[in-house]
Amino acid sequence: MSPFAALATTITLEDIKNKAVGDFKPHETAVLALSADCQSQGYQAICLPLTTTKWQERWKNMCIVPSVEDAANEAAIAADKEAEAWRKSPSFLLDEVTITRLDEAEFVLAMASEWLRLDSDDDWVRHDSGIALRQEVAYASYLNVHTIILPPPRNRSQVASYARVINECLKSIPYMQFSVRLPIYDPAVFQSKEPSSPTSHGDHGWSGASSPPHAPTTPPKLATPGSFPPGSLRSTKAPEGELNATWEMWDIIRNVCDYNIRLTLALDLTPPLPANAGVLGRWAAEPVTHIFLPASAFIANVKGYPHRPTFILSGVRCGLHAQGGESAYAQYVKYLEKSSPSVQAMKTEGTVENFGQGYQDYLQNPLQPLMDNLQSITYQTFEQDPVKYHNYEEAIYRALVDLPDSDRIVICVAGAGRGPLVARSLKAVRRSNRQAFIYALEKNPTAWITLQERKAKDWGSPVELVFGDMRHVELPEKVDILVSELLGSFGDNELSPECLDGAMRFLKPDGISIPSSYTAYLAPLSSSKLYNAARESRELKGVETPYVVMFQNVNLLSGDGGGVGGRCGPKIQECWDFVHPRGDVAVDDRGLPFTNSHNVRAARLCFHIPHAGVMHGFAGYFEAVLYGHVGLSIHPQRKDYISKDMLSWFPLFFPLREPLYLPSNSEVQVSLWRLTNDRQVWYEWFAESFLPVFNSPSPVDQSEDVLGPDGSFFASTSTHVAVPSPLIDAIDAFPLTPRSVGPRTGAESARSASGVVKIGQTALHNPGGRSSWIGL
Amino acid sequence: MSPFAALATTITLEDIKNKAVGDFKPHETAVLALSADCQSQGYQAICLPLTTTKWQERWKNMCIVPSVEDAANEAAIAADKEAEAWRKSPSFLLDEVTITRLDEAEFVLAMASEWLRLDSDDDWVRHDSGIALRQEVAYASYLNVHTIILPPPRNRSQVASYARVINECLKSIPYMQFSVRLPIYDPAVFQSKEPSSPTSHGDHGWSGASSPPHAPTTPPKLATPGSFPPGSLRSTKAPEGELNATWEMWDIIRNVCDYNIRLTLALDLTPPLPANAGVLGRWAAEPVTHIFLPASAFIANVKGYPHRPTFILSGVRCGLHAQGGESAYAQYVKYLEKSSPSVQAMKTEGTVENFGQGYQDYLQNPLQPLMDNLQSITYQTFEQDPVKYHNYEEAIYRALVDLPDSDRIVICVAGAGRGPLVARSLKAVRRSNRQAFIYALEKNPTAWITLQERKAKDWGSPVELVFGDMRHVELPEKVDILVSELLGSFGDNELSPECLDGAMRFLKPDGISIPSSYTAYLAPLSSSKLYNAARESRELKGVETPYVVMFQNVNLLSGDGGGVGGRCGPKIQECWDFVHPRGDVAVDDRGLPFTNSHNVRAARLCFHIPHAGVMHGFAGYFEAVLYGHVGLSIHPQRKDYISKDMLSWFPLFFPLREPLYLPSNSEVQVSLWRLTNDRQVWYEWFAESFLPVFNSPSPVDQSEDVLGPDGSFFASTSTHVAVPSPLIDAIDAFPLTPRSVGPRTGAESARSASGVVKIGQTALHNPGGRSSWIGL
């Protein structure tokens, strides 16, 4: 496979007509000739309209009546009958399609008729556009076309009908990819409604406004500079709502299509782009498989798009940039891709991007090193990490230096594995010029063999091996420094706290634990790819479980800055931490805690969501303090300062069972618990969404039920309480949550206060720890 | 089973103590003696605290430390160790429980310790309350107690933790009912936070504010008149948010417990009630199994509560109403129930309530009379309806009278069944003194036998029987009046439009169809019972399908009045209608339509939701015009005017796969489609929710990503478009939907406009008609 994204070029009806007048070899056609030309120029595919203007004319004549006055005449009746005959068995005439042969279709991305109005406000136009699309899709499928590009949705209020038809097509055609062409930003969606003529075909009994679409010859409306007032071009600010509109339509479409994996996005970069990176970032979490790049607006930021989409160039034959010739556009796209930071990083050895190739957005079950004994190959993979061990050595060195000089400093490496931390400890001892003795403790009987070999070969007498579980074995003496590496992607998720509770017995009262603490971090995340992957995995396993994932097609939904009401924390928030040693746990005679209650944790976090998005789960990270200022971090905003290029941990992904829609400027309140019983540790999670509200008008509701539909108990006109009953009426329009409210006496204060209103919630995930870490 | 709701009375610890000093028979105990007393007074159960003050004291001493200063002393360390020992194996001492024997527990509704703070802001209090509750539940289960009443949640911000513990209990104990005690309205939820002393037991490393609960001796806080400012008692208006708060807590609890059917509500009517019927109506859609009625606030509206809950009376021995004695309360509750309108209706023959007994909230699959030939028993059931046939006769009579006099008026009864409409037609003919001839058309070969019998016995020569499907057979002549009854609960859902398309061939150009039209109506609905029933049914069938249901435990969520922005329609909205005959359908030589496209329908409805609720689906109704002003209706607000006591149709229920949370004053936009292909007709449905927004402040978002966590394409600082690119920034806080916006030039107008913001959506239901009406 080519390391680059595929390139396609657009063929117009004009191109085909021009080519058709030339000479062909026997059995060749204009489309085949164009296809051969394009392939010789280095394009992997051609993007082609599936139908001709003949089809458009026939459809229009059948399905659109010019005006109301003419609706009753002979021609209209004939058109009606013709339309009914077509609806009964929809099919093309030969001159209505651009391709007819399998070989013509081979390299084709077929564009369905752009003038179809699947989201028209007119019921008949919508209905007949749906029949036409199904006909086109069926024809493309007949020719074995693998991808069809759908006309863009243009009407926010009818997008559910658009989506419903696409879902119908997806269900009826088994293999084809359906790609929704969509501009990132399209002010046309907000233009005034379609003009009111021509009208649709007769009044067939549908109620509702019958404002039909533009004459079907009008191409999709896209923003042009002319649609803004003169002089305001660069200062125009698009309101959040308009920036959301096209994404919101996409969200409805993929939701109505139940996240079908054959439904993808063809992002159209033809209209002007908004400059707001936060608004654009959301597209990174969507299945973008095609990008339309017009030669007329060649842009400078086509770098390292993570999805490897096909770039569809258009207008490359118009001579707009004559200097480089037709192929300059394709070369430039390849150059930009090659020089992008993420592609560069992927090609550079030692980076996470290079190390993690093939693991992007791939769900892995977290390790359970306490329950399972790791394989040698697993140890070897993690031992490749140069940063982690470097930082460990540095932490041990500094701890040694800080200790009062002594003729015998005792170190214990708890969980020595195949020995890398023992080796680093020895190096740190040498560097510090201290006299130190090392106990290497390991419970994995197979790694134990490797440790014996290393002691015999490399380490000798300064190291003593001790076999056993750190929660049960005894050491002959107390130690000054306890070194361990039991951390998971979320810090505590491989049961480091529970294991170290056992090992803390070894530590002298003023001893040092490396790590000295670790913190778990969380952020809400959107990713249709991860949602689908988790859904699939769930069907197999029937559990809700966190996964280890190298994130790629994801978008963190949260923002910094506290949100509209200043109630929210930062983009990525701290859940809890664990500190070692901790002196406040009651322990028994052997120094072990009575219960694991002190390792239970609960976090309630509030995130600000600046731009509308769909939450599919949470990203989990950790940061550990090894000693002093030396640490390990996979926190996205801090990892490069603390442990750049560390490879050992991908983040954790906590999936949601059902996506949760979050509007712009909303807040999401996440509850996360770390729970434990005698044998297991697990997480449960739950979220509620809120929207800030302001000084709202307070209409008195005139619609109170006098009697419920079922004549039920409470729905009577009077509910007088006999004895101590102050009667209370509801009049305020907007509720406030307790968080923002002190004691109040009446409605007055509510009206001037600003607060939040609850708008949604998730299920409780992983209740009872159906997915858990076992081994206590 | 008793026709009345069960009654229980509350036994206090004081009652037990007082009884304990009396004389017992051998093997009797104070609780057994009290239980016997109560049963002899007509109570079916006693409501009893499960634990004594001894338990409360021990728990408090172990788990709550008096103050920070003392935390380090000897006693605190001892308490800590004692607590850990308890956490390891939680158990009671003998004097800490009120019952110990199976026979004592037999009639007991056990109240878990009310002072437990499962939703404390203090992590340790919450944790230890959870252990205590699990211990109490396990003990109650040991004694075979069937119902445990849980302490009320009191802290909105920690209710998810409360809910999580309840879910844990539900999962660990297989049979017990768990009933959450909850006041309908509790201003205490909004009081200032718990006082800051005493503190919890030591700092165990949890972050977050450590404000512990009231001293556990404090009973649950309930509203008293004293909590309102003097003089403002009756004029105080509770804001919507406060009225929602207790319901919102319940909603989180049942949602976190995944609508477990063993989780129920014990509504506490002790605090003052709000007078707003709309706010109260929501409780009718919830599984209320117990109602606490304090003697001190005996109320006058305990009538016909649909759930038949157990009424738990308290304080009946306090002598507050000395005149009637202890049993007067119970008698009064029974009297009120007996005299309630809904119980009265249920006892009156001829009412829907009487007819439908046993069918309340029971999901039935709608009939498919076109595909299935009905059984004689089904015909007989529907023929019992006196109103329907009366109205048909009246409609036929009026049509006959309105027709110009003629020596031969021809009537066709299309779908004659066992003949009731033929008989009514003959009666109408007799009443009108017209000369009429009747064709009785039927395709069901078994009903056909009955028709032959009736013709031979009752009807004679004015009636001619024709066997066959009205879409295919021919009649020897055209008719003046076409009578049919092919209506379903939603009007068109038994394919009346498709069948009548065929029968319209028989009608003279100026002929009359009875019915002349029918309209489908929809309203959003909440009902945890129907949600659970549909979910269960779905697991069996794997389809999303509308059901026929006699609604009882339901609450229509919508309100009249247009909503905050005036954008919404009424409480129950019209979807579409069908009119017969209609002249605008193109037909073939035989008079049959070419396709069924003209029977496709689409509705987009916008409902105002005055009070927060959870939408579980939609209620569907129909209304038909038979002729002139004679009709049939099951529209809740109109049925009593049009066809009171008509029995033949229960409403339709369109279920949602997942509940959709709707805040107060939100709007829900419903898309409903009636779809068709060659063989089937089906509905699909989808909904989006919105919240109105007003003049909001527009904070400039300072939190834009400079680089996404994955270094993705769009997350770069500049996204300059080379050629025609007006740069656009997002600054507005609140989006507006297209509906409320014309063309705009910038943010200025957005800020002063009022609009709606999208907050949620459902899946597309029944895509592709997996559940459909077959037989075209």
Side-chain angles (χ1 to χ4, degrees):
Chain A
M1 221 181 96
S2 158
F4 293 107
L7 285 174
T9 186
T10 307
I11 304 292
T12 62
L13 294 176
E14 194 72 13
D15 291 334
I16 299 173
K17 200 184 288 173
N18 294 340
K19 197 73 180 183
V21 298
D23 286 336
F24 298 129
K25 296 168 207 159
H27 303 299
E28 210 188 38
T29 67
V31 168
L32 279 177
L34 283 165
S35 185
D37 291 354
C38 294
Q39 284 173 64
S40 71
Q41 284 162 33
Y43 293 103
Q44 283 82 37
I46 57 172
C47 184
L48 192 75
L50 187 67
T51 66
T52 67
T53 51
K54 296 279 185 190
W55 166 234
Q56 183 176 1
E57 281 157 27
R58 179 158 72 102
W59 188 89
K60 186 187 161 193
N61 288 336
M62 288 190 302
C63 305
I64 308 273
V65 172
S67 77
V68 177
E69 298 83 57
D70 304 336
N73 69 16
E74 282 296 310
I77 292 165
D80 205 1
K81 288 205 174 172
E82 196 193 337
E84 279 284 274
W86 165 69
R87 288 178 194 125
K88 200 171 173 68
S89 53
S91 67
F92 288 115
L93 302 175
L94 179 60
D95 62 356
E96 291 172 348
V97 290
T98 55
I99 51 174
T100 59
R101 294 162 40 160
L102 280 171
D103 53 356
E104 284 179 319
E106 205 174 340
F107 299 98
V108 163
L109 309 171
M111 297 176 73
S113 298
E114 284 204 330
W115 42 267
L116 291 176
R117 290 298 309 254
L118 302 159
D119 51 1
S120 169
D121 280 324
D122 181 277
D123 291 317
W124 273 105
V125 170
R126 223 167 50 229
H127 177 263
D128 289 341
S129 294
I131 294 180
L133 183 71
R134 286 197 298 273
Q135 169 181 341
E136 298 187 10
V137 163
Y139 183 70
S141 167
Y142 164 72
L143 288 180
N144 207 31
V145 165
H146 55 82
T147 299
I148 195 152
I149 293 173
L150 301 166
R154 300 168 181 110
N155 180 1
R156 170 66 180 86
S157 64
Q158 290 286 355
V159 70
S161 284
Y162 175 105
R164 210 197 55 71
V165 170
I166 306 307
N167 188 50
E168 217 170 71
C169 292
L170 278 162
K171 299 277 178 192
S172 66
I173 305 287
Y175 300 111
M176 199 182 287
Q177 295 274 341
F178 291 74
S179 205
V180 177
R181 182 172 183 162
L182 204 69
I184 284 180
Y185 168 61
D186 182 4
V189 173
F190 294 90
Q191 305 292 314
S192 57
K193 287 290 171 76
E194 310 155 299
S196 58
S197 101
T199 64
S200 69
H201 203 167
D203 174 16
H204 289 75
W206 269 321
S207 56
S210 238
S211 42
H214 287 284
T217 44
T218 312
K221 280 194 290 181
L222 295 172
T224 58
S227 58
F228 295 97
S232 71
L233 268 189
R234 302 216 151 240
S235 61
T236 296
K237 308 283 188 190
E240 178 74 19
E242 295 193 3
L243 289 171
N244 279 342
T246 55
W247 175 82
E248 207 169 285
M249 292 198 292
W250 160 250
D251 178 55
I252 288 169
I253 295 164
R254 62 100 173 269
N255 172 56
V256 161
C257 295
D258 195 24
Y259 283 75
N260 194 307
I261 54 166
R262 290 186 289 119
L263 180 73
T264 62
L265 255 173
L267 271 192
D268 189 345
L269 302 192
T270 310
L273 286 179
N276 185 313
V279 170
L280 296 175
R282 60 161 64 115
W283 298 102
E286 305 295 352
V288 177
T289 54
H290 300 86
I291 293 183
F292 279 91
L293 281 183
S296 63
F298 225 71
I299 61 169
N301 60 352
V302 191
K303 37 187 173 180
Y305 198 82
H307 308 264
R308 295 296 177 102
T310 296
F311 287 93
I312 304 174
L313 307 185
S314 67
V316 297
R317 273 174 300 278
C318 299
L320 208 71
H321 304 82
Q323 211 173 2
E326 282 182 38
S327 60
Y329 298 107
Q331 284 162 14
Y332 188 52
V333 170
K334 283 186 183 168
Y335 161 75
L336 287 174
E337 191 183 21
K338 196 157 59 178
S339 60
S340 81
S342 71
V343 169
Q344 288 291 327
M346 209 179 288
K347 293 185 174 178
T348 307
E349 262 196 51
T351 63
V352 189
E353 289 81 358
N354 179 271
F355 176 74
Q357 279 183 79
Y359 284 94
Q360 296 98 332
D361 290 334
Y362 176 78
L363 303 186
Q364 300 175 70
N365 284 312
L367 289 177
Q368 296 234 18
L370 188 57
M371 183 176 65
D372 306 323
N373 284 319
L374 300 185
Q375 291 180 287
S376 192
I377 184 78
T378 308
Y379 287 116
Q380 186 177 302
T381 303
F382 288 112
E383 285 168 18
Q384 286 173 28
D385 193 327
V387 179
K388 181 175 97 175
Y389 293 105
H390 171 270
N391 288 15
Y392 260 100
E393 183 189 320
E394 193 61 22
I396 299 163
Y397 167 75
R398 294 196 189 180
L400 284 166
V401 169
D402 285 353
L403 280 177
D405 207 0
S406 147
D407 50 354
R408 185 185 164 89
I409 294 176
V410 185
I411 298 175
C412 172
V413 176
R418 305 200 313 175
L421 286 177
V422 178
R424 292 291 187 158
S425 297
L426 285 168
K427 276 176 83 173
V429 169
R430 250 174 279 136
R431 280 173 59 199
S432 67
N433 282 317
R434 300 294 172 114
Q435 304 296 321
F437 184 80
I438 300 175
Y439 290 100
L441 195 57
E442 179 53 48
K443 61 113 186 156
N444 181 348
T446 47
W448 178 245
I449 310 298
T450 311
L451 284 176
Q452 290 177 61
E453 190 181 17
R454 293 210 67 181
K455 177 174 158 68
K457 277 192 183 166
D458 306 325
W459 302 334
S461 59
V463 176
E464 184 177 332
L465 305 181
V466 182
F467 180 75
D469 187 316
M470 67 184 83
R471 295 168 299 171
H472 308 301
V473 297
E474 300 291 343
L475 282 196
E477 61 186 317
K478 296 274 182 186
V479 309
D480 297 283
I481 303 175
L482 179 74
V483 181
S484 68
E485 197 285 85
L486 309 163
L487 299 167
S489 298
F490 205 50
D492 56 87
N493 64 303
E494 293 181 10
L495 308 191
S496 178
E498 283 75 10
C499 293
L500 290 184
D501 274 346
M504 283 304 143
R505 295 171 296 145
F506 310 145
L507 207 56
K508 290 178 183 168
D510 53 354
I512 295 165
S513 170
I514 295 176
S516 65
S517 71
Y518 33 91
T519 306
Y521 291 91
L522 205 77
L525 166 155
S526 183
S527 170
S528 58
K529 194 166 169 186
L530 292 185
Y531 169 67
N532 258 336
R535 184 161 66 159
E536 198 172 275
S537 156
R538 199 162 57 226
E539 272 164 20
L540 299 174
K541 295 191 223 148
V543 292
E544 290 145 4
T545 184
Y547 295 96
V548 169
V549 189
M550 181 186 180
F551 291 142
Q552 191 175 60
N553 272 19
V554 306
N555 183 32
L556 293 191
L557 292 165
S558 47
D560 283 313
V564 176
R567 281 172 296 257
C568 304
K571 183 183 180 80
I572 299 168
Q573 290 179 38
E574 181 179 333
C575 294
W576 50 63
D577 58 15
F578 287 86
V579 179
H580 303 284
R582 51 184 288 187
D584 58 351
V585 181
V587 291
D588 64 14
D589 299 340
R590 291 186 306 151
L592 292 169
F594 294 97
T595 76
N596 202 26
S597 288
H598 60 285
N599 288 326
V600 165
R601 292 290 185 279
R604 277 202 330 126
L605 309 174
C606 188
F607 294 95
H608 168 225
I609 308 298
H611 308 294
V614 175
M615 184 166 76
H616 296 110
F618 305 96
Y621 308 100
F622 85 98
E623 183 168 305
V625 176
L626 294 178
Y627 181 76
H629 296 297
V630 184
L632 306 172
S633 181
I634 62 167
H635 185 301
Q637 296 165 332
R638 296 166 53 85
K639 62 180 179 179
D640 281 357
Y641 305 104
I642 293 168
S643 52
K644 186 166 165 36
D645 290 335
M646 183 170 68
L647 310 174
S648 299
W649 292 274
F650 295 146
L652 215 56
F653 169 54
F654 294 90
L656 290 182
R657 218 152 64 195
E658 298 288 333
L660 185 66
Y661 184 91
L662 298 171
S664 294
N665 272 310
S666 60
E667 299 176 3
V668 62
Q669 198 153 50
V670 182
S671 294
L672 183 74
W673 296 270
R674 185 187 201 264
L675 297 161
T676 174
N677 60 20
D678 294 349
R679 306 171 318 284
Q680 298 150 280
V681 170
W682 70 95
Y683 302 106
E684 299 184 18
W685 55 102
F686 169 71
E688 290 180 81
S689 52
F690 297 87
L691 199 63
V693 289
F694 302 92
N695 312 330
S696 57
S698 299
V700 176
D701 195 335
Q702 296 145 339
S703 68
E704 284 309 322
D705 306 339
V706 171
L707 192 73
D710 50 351
S712 68
F713 171 35
F714 287 112
S716 61
T717 41
S718 78
T719 50
H720 292 279
V721 177
V723 185
S725 55
L727 292 182
I728 297 155
D729 281 313
I731 62 150
D732 279 335
F734 284 107
L736 302 166
T737 57
R739 210 150 37 102
S740 61
V741 191
R744 283 196 282 117
T745 54
E748 214 54 42
S749 60
R751 274 183 213 150
S752 58
S754 123
V756 293
V757 57
K758 171 162 173 171
I759 57 171
Q761 64 200 357
T762 71
L764 177 68
H765 287 77
N766 195 31
R770 287 177 289 191
S771 143
S772 62
W773 280 264
I774 304 171
L776 300 192
Chain B
M1 218 182 100
S2 160
F4 292 108
L7 285 174
T9 186
T10 307
I11 304 292
T12 63
L13 294 176
E14 193 72 13
D15 291 335
I16 300 173
K17 198 184 288 174
N18 293 341
K19 196 74 180 183
V21 298
D23 285 337
F24 299 129
K25 295 169 206 158
H27 303 296
E28 210 187 39
T29 67
V31 168
L32 279 177
L34 283 165
S35 184
D37 291 355
C38 293
Q39 284 173 65
S40 72
Q41 284 161 35
Y43 293 103
Q44 283 83 35
I46 57 173
C47 183
L48 193 75
L50 188 66
T51 65
T52 67
T53 51
K54 296 279 186 191
W55 166 232
Q56 183 176 359
E57 281 158 24
R58 178 157 72 101
W59 187 90
K60 185 187 161 192
N61 288 336
M62 288 189 301
C63 304
I64 309 273
V65 172
S67 78
V68 179
E69 298 85 58
D70 303 338
N73 69 16
E74 281 296 312
I77 292 166
D80 205 2
K81 288 205 174 174
E82 195 192 339
E84 279 283 274
W86 166 69
R87 289 178 195 125
K88 200 172 173 68
S89 52
S91 67
F92 289 114
L93 302 175
L94 179 60
D95 61 357
E96 291 171 347
V97 291
T98 55
I99 51 175
T100 58
R101 293 162 41 160
L102 280 170
D103 54 357
E104 284 178 320
E106 204 174 342
F107 300 97
V108 163
L109 308 171
M111 297 175 73
S113 298
E114 285 204 330
W115 42 266
L116 291 176
R117 289 298 310 256
L118 302 160
D119 52 1
S120 169
D121 281 323
D122 182 277
D123 291 317
W124 274 107
V125 169
R126 224 167 50 229
H127 178 262
D128 289 340
S129 293
I131 295 179
L133 182 71
R134 287 197 298 274
Q135 168 181 344
E136 297 187 11
V137 164
Y139 183 70
S141 168
Y142 164 74
L143 288 180
N144 206 31
V145 165
H146 56 83
T147 299
I148 194 150
I149 292 173
L150 302 166
R154 300 168 182 111
N155 181 1
R156 171 64 181 85
S157 64
Q158 291 286 355
V159 70
S161 284
Y162 175 104
R164 211 198 54 71
V165 170
I166 305 307
N167 189 48
E168 216 171 71
C169 292
L170 278 162
K171 299 279 177 191
S172 67
I173 305 286
Y175 300 110
M176 199 182 288
Q177 295 274 341
F178 290 74
S179 206
V180 176
R181 181 171 184 164
L182 204 69
I184 284 181
Y185 169 61
D186 182 5
V189 173
F190 294 90
Q191 305 293 314
S192 57
K193 287 290 172 76
E194 309 155 301
S196 58
S197 104
T199 65
S200 68
H201 204 167
D203 173 16
H204 290 75
W206 270 321
S207 57
S210 240
S211 42
H214 287 285
T217 43
T218 312
K221 279 196 287 182
L222 295 171
T224 58
S227 58
F228 295 96
S232 71
L233 268 190
R234 300 216 153 239
S235 62
T236 297
K237 308 283 189 188
E240 179 74 18
E242 296 194 3
L243 289 171
N244 279 342
T246 55
W247 175 80
E248 208 170 283
M249 291 198 293
W250 160 250
D251 178 54
I252 289 170
I253 296 164
R254 63 101 172 268
N255 173 57
V256 161
C257 295
D258 195 25
Y259 283 76
N260 195 307
I261 55 167
R262 289 187 289 118
L263 179 73
T264 61
L265 256 173
L267 273 191
D268 189 345
L269 302 191
T270 311
L273 285 180
N276 186 313
V279 171
L280 296 175
R282 61 163 62 116
W283 298 103
E286 306 294 352
V288 177
T289 54
H290 300 85
I291 292 182
F292 278 91
L293 282 183
S296 63
F298 225 72
I299 61 170
N301 61 352
V302 190
K303 37 188 173 179
Y305 197 83
H307 309 266
R308 295 296 179 101
T310 297
F311 288 93
I312 304 174
L313 308 184
S314 66
V316 298
R317 274 173 302 276
C318 298
L320 207 69
H321 305 81
Q323 211 173 2
E326 282 183 39
S327 59
Y329 298 106
Q331 285 162 14
Y332 188 53
V333 169
K334 282 185 184 169
Y335 161 74
L336 287 174
E337 191 183 22
K338 196 156 60 179
S339 60
S340 80
S342 71
V343 169
Q344 287 292 326
M346 207 180 291
K347 293 186 172 177
T348 307
E349 261 196 52
T351 63
V352 189
E353 289 81 358
N354 179 271
F355 177 74
Q357 278 183 78
Y359 284 95
Q360 296 98 332
D361 291 333
Y362 176 76
L363 302 187
Q364 301 176 70
N365 283 311
L367 289 177
Q368 297 235 20
L370 188 57
M371 183 176 67
D372 306 324
N373 284 317
L374 300 185
Q375 292 180 287
S376 192
I377 183 77
T378 308
Y379 287 115
Q380 185 176 302
T381 304
F382 288 112
E383 286 168 18
Q384 286 173 26
D385 192 326
V387 179
K388 181 175 95 173
Y389 294 105
H390 172 271
N391 288 17
Y392 260 99
E393 182 189 321
E394 193 61 21
I396 299 164
Y397 167 75
R398 294 197 188 180
L400 284 167
V401 169
D402 286 352
L403 279 178
D405 209 359
S406 145
D407 50 356
R408 183 182 165 92
I409 293 175
V410 185
I411 298 175
C412 172
V413 176
R418 306 200 313 176
L421 287 177
V422 177
R424 292 291 187 159
S425 297
L426 285 168
K427 276 177 85 175
V429 169
R430 249 174 279 136
R431 280 173 60 200
S432 66
N433 284 317
R434 299 295 171 112
Q435 306 296 318
F437 184 80
I438 300 173
Y439 291 100
L441 194 57
E442 178 54 48
K443 61 112 188 160
N444 181 349
T446 47
W448 178 245
I449 311 297
T450 312
L451 283 176
Q452 292 178 60
E453 189 181 20
R454 292 208 68 180
K455 178 175 156 68
K457 279 192 182 165
D458 306 326
W459 302 333
S461 59
V463 176
E464 183 178 333
L465 304 181
V466 182
F467 179 75
D469 188 316
M470 67 183 82
R471 296 169 300 171
H472 306 302
V473 297
E474 299 292 341
L475 284 196
E477 61 184 319
K478 297 274 183 186
V479 308
D480 297 283
I481 302 176
L482 179 73
V483 180
S484 69
E485 196 286 83
L486 307 163
L487 299 167
S489 299
F490 204 50
D492 57 87
N493 63 304
E494 294 181 11
L495 308 192
S496 178
E498 283 75 11
C499 293
L500 290 184
D501 274 345
M504 283 304 142
R505 294 172 296 145
F506 310 144
L507 206 57
K508 290 178 186 170
D510 52 354
I512 295 164
S513 170
I514 293 175
S516 64
S517 72
Y518 34 90
T519 306
Y521 291 91
L522 204 77
L525 167 154
S526 184
S527 169
S528 58
K529 194 167 170 188
L530 292 186
Y531 169 68
N532 258 337
R535 182 160 70 159
E536 199 172 273
S537 158
R538 201 162 56 226
E539 271 164 23
L540 298 173
K541 293 191 225 151
V543 290
E544 289 145 4
T545 185
Y547 295 95
V548 168
V549 189
M550 182 186 180
F551 291 141
Q552 191 175 59
N553 272 20
V554 305
N555 183 31
L556 293 191
L557 291 166
S558 46
D560 285 313
V564 176
R567 283 172 297 256
C568 304
K571 182 183 180 79
I572 299 168
Q573 290 179 39
E574 181 180 334
C575 294
W576 50 63
D577 56 16
F578 287 86
V579 178
H580 302 287
R582 52 184 287 187
D584 58 350
V585 181
V587 291
D588 64 14
D589 300 340
R590 291 187 306 152
L592 293 169
F594 294 97
T595 76
N596 202 25
S597 287
H598 60 286
N599 288 326
V600 165
R601 292 291 185 278
R604 276 201 331 126
L605 310 173
C606 187
F607 293 95
H608 168 226
I609 308 299
H611 308 295
V614 175
M615 184 165 77
H616 296 110
F618 304 97
Y621 309 100
F622 84 99
E623 183 167 306
V625 176
L626 294 178
Y627 181 75
H629 296 297
V630 183
L632 306 171
S633 181
I634 62 167
H635 185 302
Q637 296 165 332
R638 297 166 52 86
K639 62 180 181 181
D640 282 357
Y641 305 103
I642 294 168
S643 52
K644 186 167 165 37
D645 290 337
M646 182 171 69
L647 310 174
S648 299
W649 291 275
F650 296 146
L652 215 56
F653 170 53
F654 294 91
L656 290 183
R657 218 152 65 196
E658 297 289 333
L660 184 67
Y661 184 92
L662 299 172
S664 295
N665 273 309
S666 60
E667 299 176 4
V668 63
Q669 198 152 51
V670 183
S671 293
L672 183 74
W673 295 271
R674 184 186 202 265
L675 297 161
T676 173
N677 60 19
D678 295 348
R679 304 170 321 281
Q680 298 150 278
V681 170
W682 71 94
Y683 303 107
E684 299 186 17
W685 55 101
F686 169 70
E688 290 181 81
S689 53
F690 297 88
L691 199 63
V693 288
F694 302 92
N695 310 331
S696 57
S698 300
V700 176
D701 195 333
Q702 297 144 340
S703 67
E704 285 308 324
D705 306 339
V706 171
L707 192 73
D710 49 353
S712 69
F713 173 33
F714 286 112
S716 62
T717 41
S718 78
T719 51
H720 292 279
V721 176
V723 185
S725 55
L727 292 181
I728 297 155
D729 281 313
I731 63 151
D732 278 335
F734 283 106
L736 302 165
T737 59
R739 213 149 37 101
S740 61
V741 191
R744 282 194 284 118
T745 54
E748 213 53 44
S749 60
R751 276 186 209 147
S752 58
S754 122
V756 293
V757 58
K758 170 161 173 171
I759 57 171
Q761 64 199 356
T762 71
L764 177 69
H765 286 76
N766 195 31
R770 287 178 289 193
S771 141
S772 62
W773 280 266
I774 302 172
L776 300 191

